[in-house]
Amino acid sequence: MTRHTDSGREDGTDSTTAEPLPGEISESDDSEVPRTLPDGGTATDDGETTLDPWGSATVADYRKLFEEFGIEEFDEMLAEVPDPHYLMRRGVIFGHRDYRRVARAMQNDEPFAALSGFMPTGDPHIGHKLVFDELIWHQQQGGDAYALIADLEANSARGMTWDEIDEHARDYLLSLLALGFDPEEGELYRQSDNRELQDLAFELGASANFSELENIYGFSGETDVSHMQSVVTQMADILYPQLDEPKPTVIPVGPDQDPHVRLARDLAARTQFFGVTKAYASFEADEEERELLAAAYAALSEEVGEEETVRCEDAADWLEAEMAPDDARDSVIAKLGEAGKEPLRPRVRFLDRNATDEAFEALIDAIEGEKRVFDEHIDTFELSREDAEDLAREVEMDHGGYGFVAPSSIYHRFMTGLTGGKMSSSVPASHISLLDDPEDGYDKVKAATTGGRETAEKQRELGGRADECPVYELYAYLLAGDDDEFAKEVYDECVGGERLCGDCKEQAAQLMREFLAEHQEKREEVEDLLEQADIELDSDRKRD
Ligand code: TRP
Ligand code: SF4
């Protein structure tokens, strides 16, 4: 549906006004390529990608996110989401990590949560609206919804004063409520004002060290400590919904935030009392090795039948004969050789990560069926991996641990700027603020670049390029709302040559004007709701 060559921040714009910071991961002006994202996620890549309106085609620009970073394609699990949001249906939400957990909870009416954060560095705009909508949708699906103001981050990483932060924070919150967030059901907070959050950040900080932040974010000796603190604060944000009770939690963000998500997933695992993995024999194996072991086991157990035992040395021979040599194969063959006559048998293993002796003992007692207890792990033969994870979490919580479930994420595409190229907060004509005067919004759409042809004649002949058109994006991401038919009609008429850009922009401009007028009216209506909400609007930190 969209052609995407720009990059930017979680909110859909980049922030060319900000000073580049060492390793600032969401920075993406021309001079600075986010180090943690592949080329495909940056403005330097002008690879051509054409998508159909429903986002099922391949995405050259985003492919590396899948290939190199292990983000999964959202389309592949769309069918598992009950009543998916239009941003999901249209491929605007294109990727995820572990969102199946959340979808499963939705299907089974089990608890789940959604959380995202906003740095109050400017006006909320149509890029932020994507994230607001995602949070609100999860809330309407029955999830616990959290929206936070990342004021510590804005202060430390962007140098915003507390006065500026207060002003912008209010604007974000009003737009969020105006779009339908229910502050009584959900939770709003600001980082600076949440003691529980900061305590959690402190705990998590004990599991991360400087070298790691250096690797992930490119931090250096020049990076100030508060900036680092804002990273552990974000880690705490991401796990915060689970403080009362562990539950699947989705973090809707732009792909620029993926490094944060990965680190949070790592930290969640590090705080766990017990790790749970699959294993095939007494030795440890990594994921690739486990796949080989699984293949060898499947083939050999078929050969020898139920009664006979598959031995490690036979699996070594089998892998030697059947698999092409590579590092994983060679190392697993060596391990199997050493294990010799030991039986090869699938099992679920509990690893002792941070468990107290008492918790370890309690886990041993709690495991039903055949088990083998070792110094630092327990092998079980009658538990599924999922049941094992639940059991581990239960024992952990009984013994004073957090029991975090690894957080999930969903990623949305960044919008193209109205003037072509990137949507940038520093170029007002390139984006539409939710606070723009409706007439200005109208004018900006009218002045937008399009994917149209040079002449009307050519357009009728060849059709327009909706996939490369920022105006079409406006329809798909916002103006068509939930109406898929309307979005598809615009697309089909455009590429079929029936729609000309002048009229198309006029229609979009009018819709934008209406949207802004209505939104701003609603903002006024929710002022009281915000006053009553449990969030401090005036920071008492005024020294800058
Ligand atoms: N770092 C995010 C940004 O740059 C803001 C943020 C803070 C956030 N904490 C979060 C986003 C937790 C998602 C989840 O905008
Ligand atoms: Fe874009 Fe509309 Fe022109 Fe098609 S007709 S290129 S969607 S402005």
PDB file of all heavy atoms in Angstrom, residues 481-508:
ATOM      1  N   GLY A 481     -10.503   6.175   7.895  1.00  0.00           N
ATOM      2  CA  GLY A 481     -10.933   5.565   9.149  1.00  0.00           C
ATOM      3  C   GLY A 481     -11.089   4.065   8.988  1.00  0.00           C
ATOM      4  O   GLY A 481     -10.259   3.408   8.369  1.00  0.00           O
ATOM      5  N   ASP A 482     -12.173   3.549   9.518  1.00  0.00           N
ATOM      6  CA  ASP A 482     -12.380   2.113   9.520  1.00  0.00           C
ATOM      7  C   ASP A 482     -12.956   1.602   8.188  1.00  0.00           C
ATOM      8  O   ASP A 482     -13.177   0.413   8.018  1.00  0.00           O
ATOM      9  CB  ASP A 482     -13.345   1.777  10.672  1.00  0.00           C
ATOM     10  CG  ASP A 482     -13.202   0.338  11.113  1.00  0.00           C
ATOM     11  OD1 ASP A 482     -12.063  -0.157  11.157  1.00  0.00           O
ATOM     12  OD2 ASP A 482     -14.243  -0.288  11.383  1.00  0.00           O
ATOM     13  N   ASP A 483     -13.180   2.513   7.266  1.00  0.00           N
ATOM     14  CA  ASP A 483     -13.908   2.176   6.040  1.00  0.00           C
ATOM     15  C   ASP A 483     -12.962   1.631   4.960  1.00  0.00           C
ATOM     16  O   ASP A 483     -12.457   2.376   4.116  1.00  0.00           O
ATOM     17  CB  ASP A 483     -14.634   3.447   5.558  1.00  0.00           C
ATOM     18  CG  ASP A 483     -15.588   3.178   4.418  1.00  0.00           C
ATOM     19  OD1 ASP A 483     -15.522   2.083   3.835  1.00  0.00           O
ATOM     20  OD2 ASP A 483     -16.388   4.074   4.109  1.00  0.00           O
ATOM     21  N   ASP A 484     -12.733   0.334   4.985  1.00  0.00           N
ATOM     22  CA  ASP A 484     -11.816  -0.284   4.023  1.00  0.00           C
ATOM     23  C   ASP A 484     -12.268  -0.057   2.586  1.00  0.00           C
ATOM     24  O   ASP A 484     -11.457   0.123   1.692  1.00  0.00           O
ATOM     25  CB  ASP A 484     -11.726  -1.798   4.253  1.00  0.00           C
ATOM     26  CG  ASP A 484     -10.922  -2.136   5.499  1.00  0.00           C
ATOM     27  OD1 ASP A 484     -10.278  -1.228   6.056  1.00  0.00           O
ATOM     28  OD2 ASP A 484     -10.937  -3.321   5.906  1.00  0.00           O
ATOM     29  N   GLU A 485     -13.568  -0.094   2.392  1.00  0.00           N
ATOM     30  CA  GLU A 485     -14.069   0.049   1.030  1.00  0.00           C
ATOM     31  C   GLU A 485     -13.701   1.397   0.445  1.00  0.00           C
ATOM     32  O   GLU A 485     -13.320   1.502  -0.712  1.00  0.00           O
ATOM     33  CB  GLU A 485     -15.591  -0.099   1.026  1.00  0.00           C
ATOM     34  CG  GLU A 485     -16.039  -1.363   0.347  1.00  0.00           C
ATOM     35  CD  GLU A 485     -17.493  -1.623   0.639  1.00  0.00           C
ATOM     36  OE1 GLU A 485     -18.329  -0.819   0.187  1.00  0.00           O
ATOM     37  OE2 GLU A 485     -17.767  -2.612   1.358  1.00  0.00           O
ATOM     38  N   PHE A 486     -13.828   2.404   1.269  1.00  0.00           N
ATOM     39  CA  PHE A 486     -13.489   3.748   0.808  1.00  0.00           C
ATOM     40  C   PHE A 486     -12.006   3.822   0.449  1.00  0.00           C
ATOM     41  O   PHE A 486     -11.624   4.329  -0.609  1.00  0.00           O
ATOM     42  CB  PHE A 486     -13.869   4.777   1.879  1.00  0.00           C
ATOM     43  CG  PHE A 486     -13.504   6.184   1.539  1.00  0.00           C
ATOM     44  CD1 PHE A 486     -13.653   6.672   0.238  1.00  0.00           C
ATOM     45  CD2 PHE A 486     -13.023   7.049   2.514  1.00  0.00           C
ATOM     46  CE1 PHE A 486     -13.315   7.985  -0.081  1.00  0.00           C
ATOM     47  CE2 PHE A 486     -12.683   8.355   2.211  1.00  0.00           C
ATOM     48  CZ  PHE A 486     -12.824   8.822   0.910  1.00  0.00           C
ATOM     49  N   ALA A 487     -11.153   3.285   1.328  1.00  0.00           N
ATOM     50  CA  ALA A 487      -9.713   3.328   1.060  1.00  0.00           C
ATOM     51  C   ALA A 487      -9.397   2.591  -0.240  1.00  0.00           C
ATOM     52  O   ALA A 487      -8.593   3.039  -1.058  1.00  0.00           O
ATOM     53  CB  ALA A 487      -8.941   2.715   2.226  1.00  0.00           C
ATOM     54  N   LYS A 488     -10.057   1.484  -0.427  1.00  0.00           N
ATOM     55  CA  LYS A 488      -9.795   0.681  -1.621  1.00  0.00           C
ATOM     56  C   LYS A 488     -10.305   1.391  -2.886  1.00  0.00           C
ATOM     57  O   LYS A 488      -9.675   1.351  -3.940  1.00  0.00           O
ATOM     58  CB  LYS A 488     -10.473  -0.683  -1.487  1.00  0.00           C
ATOM     59  CG  LYS A 488     -10.177  -1.632  -2.629  1.00  0.00           C
ATOM     60  CD  LYS A 488     -10.528  -3.059  -2.244  1.00  0.00           C
ATOM     61  CE  LYS A 488     -10.658  -3.993  -3.453  1.00  0.00           C
ATOM     62  NZ  LYS A 488      -9.634  -3.838  -4.473  1.00  0.00           N
ATOM     63  N   GLU A 489     -11.431   2.067  -2.719  1.00  0.00           N
ATOM     64  CA  GLU A 489     -11.991   2.810  -3.852  1.00  0.00           C
ATOM     65  C   GLU A 489     -11.011   3.904  -4.301  1.00  0.00           C
ATOM     66  O   GLU A 489     -10.733   4.051  -5.491  1.00  0.00           O
ATOM     67  CB  GLU A 489     -13.314   3.420  -3.388  1.00  0.00           C
ATOM     68  CG  GLU A 489     -14.107   4.159  -4.419  1.00  0.00           C
ATOM     69  CD  GLU A 489     -15.353   4.751  -3.740  1.00  0.00           C
ATOM     70  OE1 GLU A 489     -16.195   3.961  -3.268  1.00  0.00           O
ATOM     71  OE2 GLU A 489     -15.452   5.994  -3.655  1.00  0.00           O
ATOM     72  N   VAL A 490     -10.465   4.642  -3.334  1.00  0.00           N
ATOM     73  CA  VAL A 490      -9.496   5.684  -3.686  1.00  0.00           C
ATOM     74  C   VAL A 490      -8.318   5.048  -4.423  1.00  0.00           C
ATOM     75  O   VAL A 490      -7.884   5.524  -5.462  1.00  0.00           O
ATOM     76  CB  VAL A 490      -8.997   6.428  -2.422  1.00  0.00           C
ATOM     77  CG1 VAL A 490      -7.856   7.376  -2.774  1.00  0.00           C
ATOM     78  CG2 VAL A 490     -10.133   7.175  -1.748  1.00  0.00           C
ATOM     79  N   TYR A 491      -7.852   3.958  -3.886  1.00  0.00           N
ATOM     80  CA  TYR A 491      -6.689   3.298  -4.484  1.00  0.00           C
ATOM     81  C   TYR A 491      -6.993   2.833  -5.910  1.00  0.00           C
ATOM     82  O   TYR A 491      -6.258   3.144  -6.847  1.00  0.00           O
ATOM     83  CB  TYR A 491      -6.283   2.098  -3.619  1.00  0.00           C
ATOM     84  CG  TYR A 491      -5.005   1.446  -4.086  1.00  0.00           C
ATOM     85  CD1 TYR A 491      -3.765   1.894  -3.628  1.00  0.00           C
ATOM     86  CD2 TYR A 491      -5.026   0.387  -4.995  1.00  0.00           C
ATOM     87  CE1 TYR A 491      -2.585   1.304  -4.057  1.00  0.00           C
ATOM     88  CE2 TYR A 491      -3.854  -0.207  -5.432  1.00  0.00           C
ATOM     89  CZ  TYR A 491      -2.637   0.254  -4.951  1.00  0.00           C
ATOM     90  OH  TYR A 491      -1.469  -0.327  -5.375  1.00  0.00           O
ATOM     91  N   ASP A 492      -8.081   2.110  -6.033  1.00  0.00           N
ATOM     92  CA  ASP A 492      -8.410   1.543  -7.346  1.00  0.00           C
ATOM     93  C   ASP A 492      -8.670   2.636  -8.377  1.00  0.00           C
ATOM     94  O   ASP A 492      -8.208   2.553  -9.506  1.00  0.00           O
ATOM     95  CB  ASP A 492      -9.642   0.636  -7.241  1.00  0.00           C
ATOM     96  CG  ASP A 492      -9.323  -0.659  -6.505  1.00  0.00           C
ATOM     97  OD1 ASP A 492      -8.119  -0.956  -6.335  1.00  0.00           O
ATOM     98  OD2 ASP A 492     -10.276  -1.359  -6.091  1.00  0.00           O
ATOM     99  N   GLU A 493      -9.405   3.662  -7.955  1.00  0.00           N
ATOM    100  CA  GLU A 493      -9.681   4.753  -8.897  1.00  0.00           C
ATOM    101  C   GLU A 493      -8.398   5.462  -9.299  1.00  0.00           C
ATOM    102  O   GLU A 493      -8.245   5.884 -10.441  1.00  0.00           O
ATOM    103  CB  GLU A 493     -10.629   5.769  -8.253  1.00  0.00           C
ATOM    104  CG  GLU A 493     -12.062   5.271  -8.156  1.00  0.00           C
ATOM    105  CD  GLU A 493     -12.979   6.277  -7.473  1.00  0.00           C
ATOM    106  OE1 GLU A 493     -12.505   7.396  -7.135  1.00  0.00           O
ATOM    107  OE2 GLU A 493     -14.152   5.939  -7.279  1.00  0.00           O
ATOM    108  N   CYS A 494      -7.479   5.578  -8.343  1.00  0.00           N
ATOM    109  CA  CYS A 494      -6.216   6.257  -8.644  1.00  0.00           C
ATOM    110  C   CYS A 494      -5.414   5.443  -9.656  1.00  0.00           C
ATOM    111  O   CYS A 494      -5.079   5.935 -10.717  1.00  0.00           O
ATOM    112  CB  CYS A 494      -5.410   6.474  -7.367  1.00  0.00           C
ATOM    113  SG  CYS A 494      -3.715   7.006  -7.668  1.00  0.00           S
ATOM    114  N   VAL A 495      -5.132   4.199  -9.322  1.00  0.00           N
ATOM    115  CA  VAL A 495      -4.265   3.417 -10.226  1.00  0.00           C
ATOM    116  C   VAL A 495      -4.986   3.070 -11.533  1.00  0.00           C
ATOM    117  O   VAL A 495      -4.348   2.794 -12.546  1.00  0.00           O
ATOM    118  CB  VAL A 495      -3.717   2.126  -9.563  1.00  0.00           C
ATOM    119  CG1 VAL A 495      -2.878   2.465  -8.345  1.00  0.00           C
ATOM    120  CG2 VAL A 495      -4.844   1.183  -9.172  1.00  0.00           C
ATOM    121  N   GLY A 496      -6.318   3.147 -11.523  1.00  0.00           N
ATOM    122  CA  GLY A 496      -7.061   2.886 -12.746  1.00  0.00           C
ATOM    123  C   GLY A 496      -7.213   4.122 -13.623  1.00  0.00           C
ATOM    124  O   GLY A 496      -7.819   4.054 -14.693  1.00  0.00           O
ATOM    125  N   GLY A 497      -6.704   5.254 -13.159  1.00  0.00           N
ATOM    126  CA  GLY A 497      -6.752   6.459 -13.979  1.00  0.00           C
ATOM    127  C   GLY A 497      -8.074   7.205 -13.931  1.00  0.00           C
ATOM    128  O   GLY A 497      -8.276   8.173 -14.666  1.00  0.00           O
ATOM    129  N   GLU A 498      -8.984   6.781 -13.072  1.00  0.00           N
ATOM    130  CA  GLU A 498     -10.273   7.485 -13.004  1.00  0.00           C
ATOM    131  C   GLU A 498     -10.222   8.678 -12.067  1.00  0.00           C
ATOM    132  O   GLU A 498     -11.103   9.519 -12.057  1.00  0.00           O
ATOM    133  CB  GLU A 498     -11.361   6.541 -12.466  1.00  0.00           C
ATOM    134  CG  GLU A 498     -11.675   5.370 -13.347  1.00  0.00           C
ATOM    135  CD  GLU A 498     -12.149   4.193 -12.501  1.00  0.00           C
ATOM    136  OE1 GLU A 498     -13.043   4.396 -11.654  1.00  0.00           O
ATOM    137  OE2 GLU A 498     -11.594   3.080 -12.671  1.00  0.00           O
ATOM    138  N   ARG A 499      -9.215   8.699 -11.222  1.00  0.00           N
ATOM    139  CA  ARG A 499      -9.150   9.732 -10.192  1.00  0.00           C
ATOM    140  C   ARG A 499      -8.022  10.688 -10.549  1.00  0.00           C
ATOM    141  O   ARG A 499      -6.914  10.249 -10.856  1.00  0.00           O
ATOM    142  CB  ARG A 499      -8.874   9.031  -8.857  1.00  0.00           C
ATOM    143  CG  ARG A 499      -8.980   9.885  -7.636  1.00  0.00           C
ATOM    144  CD  ARG A 499      -8.831   9.030  -6.387  1.00  0.00           C
ATOM    145  NE  ARG A 499     -10.139   8.759  -5.804  1.00  0.00           N
ATOM    146  CZ  ARG A 499     -10.687   9.518  -4.844  1.00  0.00           C
ATOM    147  NH1 ARG A 499     -10.035  10.536  -4.335  1.00  0.00           N
ATOM    148  NH2 ARG A 499     -11.878   9.225  -4.375  1.00  0.00           N
ATOM    149  N   LEU A 500      -8.290  11.955 -10.536  1.00  0.00           N
ATOM    150  CA  LEU A 500      -7.239  12.931 -10.824  1.00  0.00           C
ATOM    151  C   LEU A 500      -6.834  13.629  -9.536  1.00  0.00           C
ATOM    152  O   LEU A 500      -7.637  13.802  -8.618  1.00  0.00           O
ATOM    153  CB  LEU A 500      -7.719  13.940 -11.864  1.00  0.00           C
ATOM    154  CG  LEU A 500      -8.054  13.314 -13.230  1.00  0.00           C
ATOM    155  CD1 LEU A 500      -8.440  14.403 -14.224  1.00  0.00           C
ATOM    156  CD2 LEU A 500      -6.894  12.487 -13.777  1.00  0.00           C
ATOM    157  N   CYS A 501      -5.576  14.024  -9.491  1.00  0.00           N
ATOM    158  CA  CYS A 501      -5.019  14.496  -8.224  1.00  0.00           C
ATOM    159  C   CYS A 501      -5.719  15.736  -7.674  1.00  0.00           C
ATOM    160  O   CYS A 501      -5.878  15.874  -6.466  1.00  0.00           O
ATOM    161  CB  CYS A 501      -3.525  14.753  -8.373  1.00  0.00           C
ATOM    162  SG  CYS A 501      -2.627  13.241  -8.740  1.00  0.00           S
ATOM    163  N   GLY A 502      -6.107  16.634  -8.535  1.00  0.00           N
ATOM    164  CA  GLY A 502      -6.756  17.854  -8.057  1.00  0.00           C
ATOM    165  C   GLY A 502      -7.972  17.540  -7.199  1.00  0.00           C
ATOM    166  O   GLY A 502      -8.072  17.972  -6.049  1.00  0.00           O
ATOM    167  N   ASP A 503      -8.858  16.743  -7.745  1.00  0.00           N
ATOM    168  CA  ASP A 503     -10.077  16.389  -7.009  1.00  0.00           C
ATOM    169  C   ASP A 503      -9.764  15.545  -5.793  1.00  0.00           C
ATOM    170  O   ASP A 503     -10.382  15.675  -4.736  1.00  0.00           O
ATOM    171  CB  ASP A 503     -11.030  15.584  -7.910  1.00  0.00           C
ATOM    172  CG  ASP A 503     -11.625  16.467  -8.994  1.00  0.00           C
ATOM    173  OD1 ASP A 503     -11.487  17.709  -8.872  1.00  0.00           O
ATOM    174  OD2 ASP A 503     -12.192  15.914  -9.953  1.00  0.00           O
ATOM    175  N   CYS A 504      -8.827  14.653  -5.995  1.00  0.00           N
ATOM    176  CA  CYS A 504      -8.461  13.733  -4.916  1.00  0.00           C
ATOM    177  C   CYS A 504      -7.931  14.506  -3.717  1.00  0.00           C
ATOM    178  O   CYS A 504      -8.293  14.245  -2.573  1.00  0.00           O
ATOM    179  CB  CYS A 504      -7.410  12.760  -5.445  1.00  0.00           C
ATOM    180  SG  CYS A 504      -6.925  11.506  -4.271  1.00  0.00           S
ATOM    181  N   LYS A 505      -7.095  15.497  -4.000  1.00  0.00           N
ATOM    182  CA  LYS A 505      -6.549  16.310  -2.914  1.00  0.00           C
ATOM    183  C   LYS A 505      -7.625  17.179  -2.286  1.00  0.00           C
ATOM    184  O   LYS A 505      -7.640  17.392  -1.078  1.00  0.00           O
ATOM    185  CB  LYS A 505      -5.407  17.195  -3.435  1.00  0.00           C
ATOM    186  CG  LYS A 505      -4.127  16.402  -3.653  1.00  0.00           C
ATOM    187  CD  LYS A 505      -2.902  17.262  -3.483  1.00  0.00           C
ATOM    188  CE  LYS A 505      -2.620  18.046  -4.742  1.00  0.00           C
ATOM    189  NZ  LYS A 505      -1.303  18.733  -4.633  1.00  0.00           N
ATOM    190  N   GLU A 506      -8.513  17.678  -3.118  1.00  0.00           N
ATOM    191  CA  GLU A 506      -9.612  18.485  -2.580  1.00  0.00           C
ATOM    192  C   GLU A 506     -10.424  17.665  -1.569  1.00  0.00           C
ATOM    193  O   GLU A 506     -10.715  18.116  -0.466  1.00  0.00           O
ATOM    194  CB  GLU A 506     -10.501  18.982  -3.734  1.00  0.00           C
ATOM    195  CG  GLU A 506     -11.740  19.771  -3.306  1.00  0.00           C
ATOM    196  CD  GLU A 506     -11.429  21.094  -2.583  1.00  0.00           C
ATOM    197  OE1 GLU A 506     -10.370  21.681  -2.863  1.00  0.00           O
ATOM    198  OE2 GLU A 506     -12.237  21.501  -1.721  1.00  0.00           O
ATOM    199  N   GLN A 507     -10.728  16.455  -1.960  1.00  0.00           N
ATOM    200  CA  GLN A 507     -11.500  15.585  -1.063  1.00  0.00           C
ATOM    201  C   GLN A 507     -10.715  15.313   0.231  1.00  0.00           C
ATOM    202  O   GLN A 507     -11.254  15.407   1.335  1.00  0.00           O
ATOM    203  CB  GLN A 507     -11.818  14.271  -1.778  1.00  0.00           C
ATOM    204  CG  GLN A 507     -12.766  13.376  -1.006  1.00  0.00           C
ATOM    205  CD  GLN A 507     -13.024  12.037  -1.720  1.00  0.00           C
ATOM    206  OE1 GLN A 507     -12.286  11.652  -2.638  1.00  0.00           O
ATOM    207  NE2 GLN A 507     -14.068  11.347  -1.294  1.00  0.00           N
ATOM    208  N   ALA A 508      -9.435  14.987   0.059  1.00  0.00           N
ATOM    209  CA  ALA A 508      -8.610  14.698   1.238  1.00  0.00           C
ATOM    210  C   ALA A 508      -8.490  15.939   2.121  1.00  0.00           C
ATOM    211  O   ALA A 508      -8.551  15.854   3.353  1.00  0.00           O
ATOM    212  CB  ALA A 508      -7.225  14.216   0.807  1.00  0.00           C
TER     213      ALA A 508
END
